[in-house]
Amino acid sequence: KQEHPEKYLGIKTGFKTFDKYTGGLFPKELTLIAGLTGLGKSTFCRSIAKGIVTQNISAKNVLHIANEEYLEQVQNKYDAVFTEIPYDDFKLAKITEENLDIWQKFMQKDMRESNRGQIFIKEVPAFTDISLIEQAYRTLENRGIPIHVIIVDHLPHVKPIQQAWGENDERAKAASDCKELARWLNVSVITPTQAATIVDVKTTSGKRAGQLDVYGSKGQIHVANAFIIITKRGTDDTQTTLPDFERD
């Protein structure tokens, strides 16, 4: 490893602090991203996907599994991430001619740059198990397309293969299934969840978190190799011309 460190580096995410302390994303590992609803977990995942396909020396491909949003919605959000054109311009078809030219240039030229990976999006029904995720992976594999990272957005909509005995047990088993998926396919798996957040909600509101709340979070976290929790909502104050919701 000392003589050839480049062979043992993880996949860069583009987030320097994360890459520095974890080494990046590694095969057979599960990364959980936690936070309350609306704090930007899915947005963070899309930014990671952008970093994966653009920041690595050799091309790395991402499979994005959408079990909460529909296909076109996810595609538009990736277009917004890569081009920095507001998502609503794509969704509401109010994109300007100038931005349309930027988008077309991006699709026709920038996405075909050497050493740039690709993002493949697969929409699956909510509350289905990981078998559909593996099926999507195998379909691409049979086409000769290697997948290095799978993003499952999001964990609470993954149904565990084994029978669960409640909501907390269900999420713990679903996280375990995602970890096994990473091991079976020799890829890195990233998924947003709400582990530990229900405990925070109850304690900050003066309520007592029960043992099952704690167990549900621990059951997810214990199988993960990396755990990121988003605790605050940030605002981009440099974009002074945009409405508040677009600056979040």
Side-chain angles (χ1 to χ4, degrees):
K1 286 185 176 181
Q2 289 178 339
E3 292 177 359
H4 302 282
E6 71 282 354
K7 293 183 179 181
Y8 302 95
L9 293 175
I11 297 172
K12 292 181 180 179
T13 66
F15 289 88
K16 294 182 179 179
T17 302
F18 178 84
D19 292 339
K20 175 182 177 181
Y21 287 105
T22 66
L25 301 172
F26 290 87
K28 302 183 180 181
E29 292 190 352
L30 172 66
T31 299
L32 290 181
I33 300 173
L36 295 174
T37 300
L39 280 184
K41 299 186 297 295
S42 295
T43 301
F44 186 36
C45 285
R46 287 188 291 271
S47 296
I48 288 175
K50 176 184 178 181
I52 291 169
V53 301
T54 61
Q55 299 296 317
N56 290 279
I57 297 176
S58 58
K60 303 297 181 184
N61 297 324
V62 175
L63 171 60
H64 181 111
I65 300 295
N67 61 16
E68 183 180 35
E69 299 174 308
Y70 57 91
L71 180 63
E72 184 180 4
Q73 185 179 17
V74 178
Q75 289 174 332
N76 287 165
K77 287 185 176 181
Y78 271 116
D79 286 339
V81 167
F82 276 91
T83 63
E84 298 184 0
I85 299 170
Y87 162 68
D88 279 349
D89 286 5
F90 290 102
K91 182 178 182 179
L92 304 180
K94 62 178 184 180
I95 190 169
T96 64
E97 289 296 325
E98 180 182 1
N99 282 341
L100 184 61
D101 290 341
I102 293 173
W103 177 79
Q104 288 177 327
K105 174 182 176 295
F106 164 75
M107 295 297 293
Q108 295 170 3
K109 181 182 178 182
D110 295 351
M111 283 300 290
R112 288 171 170 74
E113 288 182 356
S114 59
N115 296 326
R116 172 167 283 191
Q118 290 183 282
I119 299 172
F120 300 87
I121 304 168
K122 175 67 176 178
E123 181 183 352
V124 302
F127 307 109
T128 52
D129 62 41
I130 61 170
S131 60
L132 290 181
I133 302 175
E134 182 178 6
Q135 182 180 335
Y137 173 91
R138 298 300 182 191
T139 299
L140 292 169
E141 183 182 50
N142 291 336
R143 290 168 53 190
I145 300 172
I147 293 297
H148 304 90
V149 178
I150 297 177
I151 295 176
V152 183
D153 191 11
H154 65 150
L155 183 64
H157 281 180
V158 177
K159 180 181 178 181
I161 294 174
Q162 293 183 341
Q163 182 179 0
W165 306 102
E167 180 182 353
N168 291 302
D169 186 44
E170 186 174 81
R171 292 190 182 183
K173 283 185 167 66
S176 180
D177 287 349
C178 288
K179 174 62 177 290
E180 288 306 305
L181 183 72
R183 288 160 55 91
W184 296 338
L185 303 181
N186 195 36
V187 300
S188 176
V189 173
I190 304 172
T191 182
T193 183
Q194 291 183 327
T197 56
I198 188 64
V199 178
D200 182 61
V201 168
K202 287 188 175 181
T203 53
T204 53
S205 62
K207 298 179 181 179
R208 182 178 181 275
Q211 290 183 342
L212 287 178
D213 296 325
V214 177
Y215 166 75
S217 294
K218 284 186 175 181
Q220 296 175 65
I221 296 169
H222 281 178
V223 298
N225 300 94
F227 178 66
I228 304 170
I229 185 165
I230 302 173
T231 58
K232 294 183 179 179
R233 188 184 194 93
T235 301
D236 181 2
D237 291 321
T238 64
Q239 303 288 340
T240 56
T241 60
L242 297 179
D244 288 345
F245 76 94
E246 289 187 355
R247 290 161 51 208
D248 288 339

